[in-house]
Amino acid sequence: MLRFEDKVVLITGAASGIGRATAIRLASEGATLVLSDVNEKGLAETRAECESLGSTVTSSVVNVASEDEVVAMVAGAVEAHGRLDVVVNVAGILQFGHTHETSLADFERIISVNLTGTFLVCREAIPHLLSSGGNIVNTASTAALAGHPWTISYSASKGGVAALTQTIAGRVRQAGAAGQRGRPGFDPDAHPAGVRSSQKVPTDHWSTGSWRSMNSAAPRSSPVRSRSWVPRTQCTSTARSSRSTAERSPDLPIR
């Protein structure tokens, strides 16, 4: 028997990168999948690949920052499959920029997707996971452990995800469910180099699978140079990210 046979798994941010790799791995393990993303084209590609592995898949375009859309997504998953066993929150965005040049609108947009979206999905899913004795896996980041230059909004959001997950885990564990967080490093497969360049991040300092010291990478003209560095990838998932050619918005998807 496959590990996830007869298990219903909901994955957000499934159109590319970590979300797509997670979906494909779980499909190969026998899971029934409920996939969501704002990227309709990439989501359809992920769904097709998972179905080719024999998985039963439903998918929908969902903005996790929208309460109404999240409520409908979780309710629809339970209505379609009768249960919910695992939730994997991957959906997230990133935008580079100096802190003093970050607009309130940009800050709030990243918080709303990365942190509020994770909260909304967890809130709606928990009652069903308590019934099934299921699991939540939230995607935090190494940015939750150490400051990343030029990512004030993203770092704040992922620090919030880490704290949110610890809080949920302490509560649901008492009722037979589980909450976990992964802390992936930078996923080059989910970040088109052209967008990185347009946001003035020096691409010659990126390396596959990890970030080098961002202190040495900071522009000499920068008024503030960070002393922090980013460790190599840390992630509880065994799934490897896969490259997606899907079109993306100016906000970088962290998947």
Side-chain angles (χ1 to χ4, degrees):
M1 180 175 179
L2 298 174
R3 291 192 304 166
F4 287 87
E5 192 172 350
D6 298 326
K7 301 294 185 183
V8 178
V9 182
L10 186 155
I11 304 171
T12 70
S16 61
I18 295 171
R20 173 178 286 186
T22 302
I24 293 170
R25 176 57 183 266
L26 293 178
S28 73
E29 295 270 9
T32 295
L33 299 176
V34 178
L35 308 179
S36 73
D37 203 291
V38 294
N39 182 340
E40 185 173 6
K41 181 175 181 289
L43 185 62
E45 292 171 354
T46 301
R47 175 172 179 166
E49 188 160 355
C50 291
E51 288 178 334
S52 72
L53 295 171
S55 177
T56 298
V57 185
T58 58
S59 62
S60 57
V61 176
V62 174
N63 175 8
V64 295
S66 167
E67 183 175 23
D68 291 343
E69 292 184 32
V70 170
V71 169
M73 174 184 66
V74 175
V78 175
E79 180 179 356
H81 303 291
R83 60 185 291 129
L84 188 59
D85 298 285
V86 181
V87 168
V88 186
N89 281 302
V90 184
I93 56 176
L94 165 64
Q95 187 175 52
F96 294 106
H98 291 296
T99 299
H100 64 287
E101 295 174 348
T102 301
S103 69
L104 178 60
D106 286 341
F107 185 88
E108 290 182 336
R109 182 175 65 255
I110 291 172
I111 293 292
S112 69
V113 173
N114 298 4
L115 179 55
T116 305
T118 298
F119 157 72
L120 289 172
V121 176
C122 288
R123 186 193 70 184
E124 294 305 305
I126 282 173
H128 306 291
L129 296 173
L130 290 176
S131 297
S132 64
N135 291 264
I136 297 172
V137 180
N138 292 332
T139 307
S141 171
T142 54
L145 306 177
H148 288 198
W150 316 309
T151 62
I152 185 68
S153 310
Y154 179 74
S155 295
S157 71
K158 291 303 185 177
V161 169
L164 178 148
T165 307
Q166 288 179 317
T167 301
I168 291 173
R171 175 64 186 89
V172 299
R173 188 181 298 116
Q174 301 171 18
Q180 301 168 305
R181 70 177 187 271
R183 295 192 296 269
F186 182 73
D187 177 9
D189 292 338
H191 301 268
V195 179
R196 289 204 300 270
S197 299
S198 69
Q199 293 185 317
K200 301 181 180 179
V201 177
T203 55
D204 57 308
H205 288 278
W206 297 94
S207 60
T208 302
S210 66
W211 280 4
R212 297 180 182 177
S213 169
M214 299 300 279
N215 180 44
S216 62
R220 293 289 178 178
S221 59
S222 173
V224 179
R225 296 191 65 199
S226 171
R227 295 182 180 178
S228 65
W229 67 281
V230 182
R232 291 185 179 274
T233 301
Q234 301 178 32
C235 185
T236 58
S237 174
T238 58
R240 293 183 178 273
S241 61
S242 60
R243 183 174 298 277
S244 169
T245 57
E247 296 179 358
R248 295 182 176 86
S249 69
D251 290 324
L252 299 174
I254 304 304
R255 298 197 264 283

